[in-house]
Amino acid sequence: MVESDGISKPAKGEPGSGEAAQALRAILQTQYLRYLIISSWAVGLLAVVGPITAALWFFGTIAAGALRGAVEKRISERVGAGWGLIFPAVATATTAAWATAPLMAWFSGHPFGQPLAMTLLVSGYVLVFAQLRSSPKQAVVISSPYGVSAAVIAASLWGTDLFWAFMGVVPFTAAGLVVLVLMTMLREERIRAFQEHQAHLIEELEMARDRADAASEAKSSFLGVISHELRTPMNGVLGAAQLLGATRLEPTQREYLSIIRNSGDNLLSLLNDILDMTKIEAGKMTFEVVDISVEDLHQRVTGPFQAQAEAKGLNFSVRFEGDTPAVVRGDPLRVCQVIHNLLSNAVKFTDAGDVAYTVRSERLADDRVRFDFAVKDSGAGISPEDLERLFQPFTQVDASSTRRFGGTGLGLTISRRMANIMGGDISVESTVGEGSTFTFSVEAEVVEWTRQEAAAPIAAEVEDGRSLSVLVVEDHPVNRMILEAWMSSAGHTSSTAENGQIALDMAAGQRFDLIVMDVNMPVMDGLTATRGIRAGGGVNAETPIVVLSASARTEDHEAGLEAGADAYLNKPIDFAALAQVMNQVGSGRAGLRALGEIGEKAQAA
C-alpha cells in the first residue's frame, strides 16, 4: 500500500539501513499521494457497500495513515538507532486497514463486489511492491495483511468451482510482482554503476583541475619572481645610462646611449606588464579606495597624451557630458592606468586626424554615478575578426613580422581585467578605414556632486590704505573679540565698550572715525546711546555710526536711522557689508547714507 512505503530500518550497523532511510525519505516526500488513493478506493467501495460503510472505512484508513505519517516523521532521523522493528510493525498495522477493503467488497453481496475485491487485492500488492521494490523482503512482510484477506476469500470459496479459478490468479499476480521487482533492481543497479562511474570521472576532473591550478600558480609565481628580480638589474642599467648621459660624449656614443635607454625603458614596461598580469591571475592585484577629484584625475590623464598628440600633428580634444560629480571614491592609480592605455594606443596607432577623449557621466542615485570614458581615434580601424581576439593576452592586431609598433599585447588584456575587478568593462566599436572607439565604463560612489569652494577671506583694509580708529560697542565678549581681531588684521585701531553708557563716556573724550553700535545691550541700549552721542555735541557728534541688530524688520531699521545712525547691519555680521561701510568713512555720514539700503541688501544676501 502507499502507506507501507516507509518500511523498516535495520538497527545501526545492519545491512540495508541506508536503503531504509532512503525509502522513508521518499515516503515523507510523497505521503499526500496515499490520501488520493484512499479516496479512490472509498469511491469504489461506495458503489458496493453503501455510503455509511464506505465512509467508516475511509475515515478509519485516513486516521491510520495520519498516525503512521506522524510516527515516520518523528523518528525519520533515527534510522539505524534501534527503531528497525517499529517501522515494519507500524506499516503492517496500517496496511491491515487497507486490506479490509477487499473483504468488504467480496462479502457485500453486490454483483460487482467480487470483481472489485479482486481488483483491490491485486492493486494493494502492486502498490506495496512498487514502493518497496528495492527491499522485496520488507515488501513481503508489509503486504501480509493482503495475504490474510486473500486466504479468507479463498476459504470462502472452498469446495466451489470458483476456488481454483481464484487460486489461478495467485501465480499470475506473483509473476507480475517478480517482474516488477527484478526490473527495478536491474535499473537501480545500472543507476548505481552510472553513479560510480560519474563519481570516478568527477574525481579525475578534480585531480586534473588541481594539477592545472598548481601549474598555473607555479607559472604565475615564477613570472612574478623573475619580473621582480629583473627589475633590480634593469634599474641599475637605466640609472647608469642616465649618469652616462650627463657626461661628455661623442655624437656616436650619445646615439648608442639613446638606444640603450629606449630599449631599457621598453624592457621595464614589459616587466611591469608581466608583473601586473601575474598579480591579476593570482588574485593579488591591490586596489585602494580613496576620494578622487574628477578635475585632478582629468588633468593627470590627459596631460601626457595631449603633448604626444600635438607632436604627431594630431588634434586632441576633451569633452565632458552629463552630470559630472566633483569628488568620487575609487582607485585613481588603476583608473589612470586603464585610461592611459586607451589614450596611448589611440595616439600610437593614429597617423593623422583626431583623438577625442570624452567623459560621459550618468547620475544613478544621489550617491552613485556611472562613467563612460570614451577614446575615439581616426586610425586604421579594426576588422571584425580581429576584434574577437583583441583582448586576448600576448595578442596584437598586427602580428606580422613587419609590424611597425612594438609591445607585448598585454595592455588591453590587463586594462579589461582591471576594469572587471573594479566592476566595469571595456567595449570597442571600430570601422576599418575610419577609426575606433574604446569605452571604459565603471560605476563609482559619489562623495560630492559640486565641490564647495572655500570662501575668500574678506579684508578689512580700506581702499586709500589709511588706518581707522573704531569704537566697537557690543555686550557679547566673543563678538567684541572677533570684530577687534578682524580690524586689527588690517592695521585699524579699535576700542571696545560693553554697553551704551560706557560708549557715551568714551565718545565724550576720544575722537573716533567710526562707531559700530549694537542695539540690544544692558544698562543702556544702542539706540539711546546713539541719540546721546548725536545730541551731546561732542567730538563724535558727526562721526559715522553703524548699528547692529539681530532683527531684520524694516521698522527696526527705520528706528535705528531715526535715532541718528547712518547705516544698519544685521547679525550675524556680514563682514563684506561692514568693509563697504569702512571704505565710505572718508566720505563722512553722507557717504554712508549714500550706500542706501545696505542692511537690507546684506540681509537678502
Side-chain angles (χ1 to χ4, degrees):
M1 214 32 276
V2 169
E3 18 174 17
S4 56
D5 42 0
I7 295 340
S8 87
K9 309 177 172 193
K12 188 174 183 179
E14 294 183 38
S17 61
E19 294 179 359
Q22 185 178 4
L24 180 57
R25 284 192 295 270
I27 292 170
L28 293 175
Q29 293 170 356
T30 60
Q31 58 180 315
Y32 294 108
L33 292 176
R34 72 179 62 162
Y35 302 118
L36 177 62
I37 299 175
I38 291 173
S39 300
S40 65
W41 281 34
V43 171
L45 288 175
L46 179 65
V48 298
V49 302
I52 296 178
T53 306
L56 290 174
W57 179 87
F58 175 77
F59 288 113
T61 308
I62 286 287
L67 178 62
R68 176 167 175 259
V71 172
E72 288 171 345
K73 187 174 182 180
R74 184 181 181 88
I75 60 177
S76 61
E77 301 300 328
R78 307 184 66 176
V79 175
W83 298 93
L85 297 179
I86 292 182
F87 280 104
V90 173
T92 303
T94 54
T95 303
W98 291 68
T100 59
L103 293 176
M104 294 168 62
W106 183 267
F107 294 107
S108 65
H110 193 279
F112 189 67
Q114 292 185 352
L116 178 61
M118 294 295 295
T119 301
L120 295 177
L121 198 59
V122 174
S123 297
Y125 271 110
V126 171
L127 288 171
V128 171
F129 276 84
Q131 295 172 17
L132 299 174
R133 52 191 178 273
S134 59
S135 304
K137 292 181 181 180
Q138 295 176 352
V140 170
V141 175
I142 301 305
S143 63
S144 58
Y146 292 112
V148 174
S149 296
V152 171
I153 293 173
S156 69
L157 295 175
W158 179 257
T160 66
D161 294 339
L162 294 177
F163 176 79
W164 292 109
F166 177 79
M167 296 302 295
V169 177
V170 174
F172 166 78
T173 304
L177 297 178
V178 169
V179 171
L180 174 64
V181 171
L182 289 178
M183 292 297 294
T184 300
M185 294 179 68
L186 288 174
R187 183 178 62 183
E188 292 184 349
E189 183 62 30
R190 293 194 191 100
I191 292 174
R192 276 195 295 270
F194 174 76
Q195 290 175 338
E196 291 177 358
H197 179 64
Q198 188 179 43
H200 179 68
L201 289 178
I202 291 174
E203 183 179 356
E204 289 185 345
L205 287 174
E206 289 178 345
M207 293 175 61
R209 180 202 62 196
D210 293 341
R211 288 194 296 268
D213 289 345
S216 177
E217 185 176 352
K219 177 205 69 176
S220 298
S221 177
F222 171 76
L223 290 175
V225 171
I226 288 298
S227 59
H228 267 299
E229 292 300 323
L230 288 177
R231 286 168 65 91
T232 301
M234 204 60 241
N235 287 330
V237 170
L238 292 176
Q242 291 179 8
L243 294 175
L244 185 60
T247 63
R248 300 179 63 180
L249 299 174
E250 297 179 0
T252 303
Q253 293 174 327
R254 192 165 296 280
E255 181 180 354
Y256 292 160
L257 179 62
S258 176
I259 295 174
I260 293 174
R261 293 190 59 178
N262 290 335
S263 299
D265 289 337
N266 292 335
L267 180 56
L268 189 59
S269 177
L270 170 61
L271 293 176
N272 290 334
D273 285 347
I274 293 176
L275 185 59
D276 284 341
M277 197 69 185
T278 55
K279 285 182 178 179
I280 291 174
E281 289 184 347
K284 296 180 180 179
M285 176 66 74
T286 58
F287 288 79
E288 62 175 357
V289 179
V290 298
D291 289 352
I292 307 173
S293 169
V294 176
E295 183 179 355
D296 293 345
L297 181 69
H298 159 67
Q299 294 176 354
R300 291 172 58 181
V301 166
T302 59
F305 301 101
Q306 188 166 7
Q308 292 180 21
E310 292 174 353
K312 290 186 65 174
L314 304 176
N315 296 322
F316 189 90
S317 61
V318 179
R319 187 170 70 254
F320 285 84
E321 299 177 358
D323 193 0
T324 304
V327 182
V328 296
R329 290 186 63 78
D331 189 330
L333 176 63
R334 302 305 179 188
V335 172
C336 284
Q337 189 172 350
V338 174
I339 302 176
H340 276 179
N341 182 266
L342 301 183
L343 287 172
S344 174
N345 287 342
V347 174
K348 180 194 300 183
F349 296 111
T350 303
D351 294 328
D354 305 304
V355 174
Y357 170 62
T358 304
V359 180
R360 290 186 289 271
S361 308
E362 179 185 356
R363 183 192 289 254
L364 303 178
D366 289 340
D367 61 345
R368 200 75 184 166
V369 66
R370 173 189 171 91
F371 286 114
D372 289 327
F373 301 97
V375 178
K376 183 178 180 180
D377 64 64
S378 59
I382 305 171
S383 63
E385 54 271 19
D386 288 331
L387 284 176
E388 296 179 358
R389 57 190 182 90
L390 188 62
F391 292 96
Q392 296 177 6
F394 303 102
T395 301
Q396 286 192 332
V397 172
D398 181 12
S400 65
S401 59
T402 58
R403 58 192 177 107
R404 299 161 51 205
F405 304 102
T408 62
L410 283 174
L412 283 176
T413 303
I414 294 172
S415 297
R416 171 171 260 184
R417 294 195 182 182
M418 283 186 177
N420 294 154
I421 295 174
M422 289 185 284
D425 198 7
I426 296 178
S427 59
V428 58
E429 297 177 359
S430 185
T431 302
V432 176
E434 296 182 9
S436 307
T437 301
F438 287 81
T439 303
F440 167 37
S441 301
V442 69
E443 293 183 11
E445 177 188 351
V446 177
V447 179
E448 294 179 8
W449 284 101
T450 56
R451 180 176 287 279
Q452 300 295 326
E453 298 293 339
I458 300 172
E461 289 89 350
V462 296
E463 293 177 357
D464 58 9
R466 68 192 184 96
S467 175
L468 301 179
S469 175
V470 183
L471 172 61
V472 177
V473 187
E474 167 67 61
D475 65 320
H476 199 289
V478 175
N479 290 343
R480 290 200 306 271
M481 179 189 69
I482 293 174
L483 283 168
E484 190 174 10
W486 181 69
M487 292 179 183
S488 298
S489 66
H492 303 299
T493 303
S494 58
S495 303
T496 61
E498 298 178 8
N499 56 61
Q501 183 60 58
I502 298 176
L504 270 178
D505 296 340
M506 294 179 67
Q510 182 179 351
R511 175 74 171 85
F512 295 102
D513 297 315
L514 176 66
I515 298 175
V516 179
M517 181 77 70
D518 189 19
V519 172
N520 299 311
M521 294 181 293
V523 183
M524 180 184 292
D525 62 86
L527 298 184
T528 302
T530 299
R531 294 189 192 97
I533 292 174
R534 296 299 184 216
V539 293
N540 291 295
E542 294 301 319
T543 298
I545 299 177
V546 55
V547 293
L548 305 175
S549 175
S551 175
R553 297 186 306 166
T554 303
E555 51 268 34
D556 292 331
H557 290 199
E558 294 175 351
L561 297 175
E562 290 175 358
D566 304 299
Y568 194 105
L569 296 180
N570 294 324
K571 286 185 176 182
I573 301 170
D574 184 345
F575 285 99
L578 182 56
Q580 292 183 31
V581 169
M582 294 174 67
N583 274 289
Q584 291 296 324
V585 167
S587 302
R589 297 183 61 190
L592 259 63
R593 288 182 177 272
L595 290 175
E597 303 285 330
I598 190 171
E600 284 75 4
K601 291 181 180 179
Q603 178 187 17

